[in-house]
Amino acid sequence: MKNIIASIKKYKFLLYELVSRDFKVKYKRSVLGVLWSLLYPVLTMTVMALVFSNMFRVSMPNVNYLVYLMSGLIIFNYYSEASNLAMSSVVGNFSLINKVYIPKYIFPLSKCIFVGINFLLTLIPLYAIILLTGTGVNIHHLFLPFGFLCLFMFTVGMGFILATISVFLRDMFYIYGVMITLWMYVTPIMYDFAMIPAKFQLIFKLNPLYWYIYFTRDIILYNQVPNINVWLYCFGSALIFLIIGMFVFKKYQDKFIYYV
């Protein structure tokens, strides 16, 4: 971990340039540009709300369904986009890796940071919906950055793992597409966790994204600070996956050149 932190400090200019490049590429020739970061989650939420609240009659007791849906959606969307980009980051930058020495950690990390900036922008429409629906904002919202930090750590760790696997197994790009779709439906984004049969609830709770969403919703929807066990699970799962990801990436990174 010390080596990674030292590399980030040494190559922070390159990290900045990679993130800047991603922004330029993503919004190149786009009429609305960065505004898509605000509109996309709102449009997605609208579609899901129409489908699940009207067709499937999904509702949430005592809370606004739009806020419930949006709070889960932005968490999952961040993980989905960042992990997908991180997975292809090493393979996609092979021409750069092959010419000069660059710490390979930089590439998955830059993708997670890039999507993280977009994630912060999505908080604007989230809070607009919170205020418009009368859900309200209180001092407990100051604890939300902890949940977002845990989400970032978990995503970086998974990004390292996926980036490593995809170098040796290109089929991972297709496999993960199926996995992330399944992951979305086993995460309580559109539905209430209480709808899951009791015998399956423990399995669903093994999903780290469930806890990051739970942490966020406990504060936003129920105006309360999550209990200490939720804090520990969020941080513990994030730290474990970050450490595993760094270990796996470091172990195999010297072999990337032979497979990319």
Side-chain angles (χ1 to χ4, degrees), residues 41-131:
V42 174
L43 295 174
T44 306
M45 178 207 68
T46 303
V47 173
M48 285 189 168
L50 290 173
V51 172
F52 286 92
S53 62
N54 293 314
M55 293 181 64
F56 295 101
R57 303 297 180 184
V58 176
S59 61
M60 293 299 302
N62 305 319
V63 297
N64 186 277
Y65 184 66
L66 291 180
V67 179
Y68 180 89
L69 183 58
M70 186 70 168
S71 58
L73 197 59
I74 63 168
I75 298 290
F76 188 85
N77 281 352
Y78 167 74
Y79 171 76
S80 176
E81 183 179 358
S83 61
N84 268 294
L85 291 178
M87 178 173 58
S88 61
S89 61
V90 174
V91 175
N93 285 285
F94 172 67
S95 59
L96 191 58
I97 295 172
N98 199 33
K99 292 177 181 177
V100 294
Y101 172 75
I102 298 173
K104 300 174 185 67
Y105 292 102
I106 291 292
F107 298 108
L109 181 61
S110 69
K111 298 299 182 183
C112 294
I113 293 174
F114 160 62
V115 183
I117 296 172
N118 279 325
F119 170 79
L120 293 178
L121 292 174
T122 63
L123 295 179
I124 297 174
L126 171 63
Y127 272 91
I129 293 170
I130 288 173
L131 295 174

Side-chain angles (χ1 to χ4, degrees), residues 19-37:
V19 174
S20 177
R21 182 193 66 177
D22 287 337
F23 265 101
K24 292 175 182 177
V25 170
K26 181 172 182 177
Y27 298 114
K28 184 179 181 181
R29 297 176 183 172
S30 172
V31 176
L32 294 178
V34 180
L35 285 177
W36 276 117
S37 295

Side-chain angles (χ1 to χ4, degrees), residues 68 72 183-194 196 204 207 209-210 213-214 217:
Y68 180 89
W183 201 335
M184 181 180 71
Y185 287 107
V186 298
T187 303
I189 300 171
M190 300 81 68
Y191 55 86
D192 186 0
F193 182 75
I196 302 168
F204 277 69
N207 175 7
L209 291 179
Y210 162 78
I213 292 174
Y214 182 97
R217 284 174 171 165

